[in-house]
């Protein structure tokens, strides 16, 4: 892995594909144990979670469904703190066991908004599977049940995560060069 340039920023190698897939496998194993026979509905938060979700659900060995929602809070490299409206939630969520699939939980604003929205739909249960988690930034009082990996408060790209729309296609994860 070598450094890459995306727009005006340089990014250096951080997490290779093998390590990523290993972490995803661990998450899948835990979800399989907890969700066996519960027909979970994976609610994938677009755009960033598409790649994690693809690997995660291929590791699921119990009957399940997959659907997608969209909502964004980021522009550039720092959280705006603002969240947009949630769109695409067309499934009947009442009585379902929902696994919200996120690429990364940073401030937690995005996931908090989604969890609040979901509560009004009367699901049987809601858990969150986030590939990455920044514990130093997260200040909320709810739990993220499944975390692929904890990372420091640095801006990263790759494996679905972007910098101004770029870098989502990268197999490995890179961190911004300071
Ligand atoms: P939060 O609302 O602050 O938790 O931010 C969550 C969303 O911000 C994620 O779903 C990502 O789309 C985006 N995000 C947070 N940290 C990063 C990062 O380091 N790189 C790219 N996107 C990020
Ligand atoms: Mg996201």
């Amino acid at each position: 892995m070598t450094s890459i340039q995306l727009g005006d920023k340089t990014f250096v190698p951080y997490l290779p594909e093998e390590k990523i897939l290993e972490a995803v496998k661990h998450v899948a194993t835990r979800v399989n144990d907890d969700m066996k026979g519960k027909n979970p509905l994976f609610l994938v938060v677009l755009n960033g979670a598409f790649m994690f979700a693809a690997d995660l659900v291929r590791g699921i060995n119990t009957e399940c469904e997959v659907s997608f929602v969209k909502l964004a809070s980021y522009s550039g490299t720092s959280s705006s703190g603002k969240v947009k409206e949630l769109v695409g939630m067309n499934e009947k969520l009442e009585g379902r066991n929902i696994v919200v699939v996120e690429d990364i939980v940073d401030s937690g604003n995005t996931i908090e908004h989604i969890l609040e929205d979901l509560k009004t739909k009367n699901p049987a249960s809601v858990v969150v599977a986030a590939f990455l988690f920044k514990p130093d930034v997260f200040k909320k009082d709810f739990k993220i049940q499944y975390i692929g990996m904890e990372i420091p408060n640095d801006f990263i790209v790759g494996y679905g995560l972007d910098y101004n729309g770029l870098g989502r296609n990268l197999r490995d994860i890179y961190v911004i060069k300071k």
Side-chain angles (χ1 to χ4, degrees):
M1 286 169 76
T2 53
S3 296
I4 52 157
Q5 185 76 24
L6 295 173
D8 59 345
K9 301 260 187 288
T10 306
F11 292 83
V12 296
Y14 184 69
L15 209 57
E17 186 179 20
E18 311 86 76
K19 291 265 185 277
I20 293 170
L21 296 179
E22 211 175 282
V24 176
K25 209 185 261 177
H26 282 126
V27 174
T29 303
R30 290 184 53 212
V31 175
N32 280 329
D33 288 348
D34 297 345
M35 290 288 165
K36 200 173 168 64
K38 292 185 176 172
N39 186 22
L41 171 62
F42 290 91
L43 219 50
V44 182
V45 184
L46 295 173
N47 294 327
F50 77 97
M51 212 176 272
F52 170 46
D55 288 330
L56 177 65
V57 299
R58 280 183 291 181
I60 298 303
N61 56 25
T62 191
E63 195 171 87
C64 65
E65 291 170 45
V66 185
S67 192
F68 300 86
V69 291
K70 190 158 181 169
L71 181 136
S73 72
Y74 250 67
S75 169
T77 57
S78 74
S79 183
S80 63
K82 280 184 236 136
V83 280
K84 292 184 197 163
E85 202 194 339
L86 193 58
V87 291
M89 215 138 67
N90 303 320
E91 329 294 312
K92 197 175 152 285
L93 303 181
E94 197 175 331
R96 297 301 306 268
N97 293 300
I98 298 168
V99 181
V100 180
V101 182
E102 256 288 31
D103 49 358
I104 186 165
V105 173
D106 187 315
S107 69
N109 287 332
T110 305
I111 203 73
E112 179 177 55
H113 188 88
I114 293 169
L115 293 175
E116 265 162 29
D117 201 307
L118 288 177
K119 249 187 249 165
T120 68
K121 311 273 196 300
N122 297 317
S125 66
V126 182
V127 293
V128 177
F131 180 59
L132 297 168
F133 181 62
K134 295 181 181 174
D136 299 342
V137 199
F138 188 74
K139 297 282 178 282
K140 307 288 178 187
D141 55 9
F142 53 84
K143 202 175 162 228
I144 309 296
Q145 281 80 1
Y146 307 103
I147 293 169
M149 216 171 277
E150 292 193 353
I151 60 165
N153 184 22
D154 294 317
F155 191 81
I156 54 132
V157 291
Y159 196 62
L161 289 138
D162 73 303
Y163 167 58
N164 287 342
L166 301 173
R168 295 193 194 278
N169 57 308
L170 300 166
R171 290 173 175 271
D172 310 294
I173 289 176
Y174 296 76
V175 64
I176 199 161
K177 189 177 179 183
K178 289 183 193 148

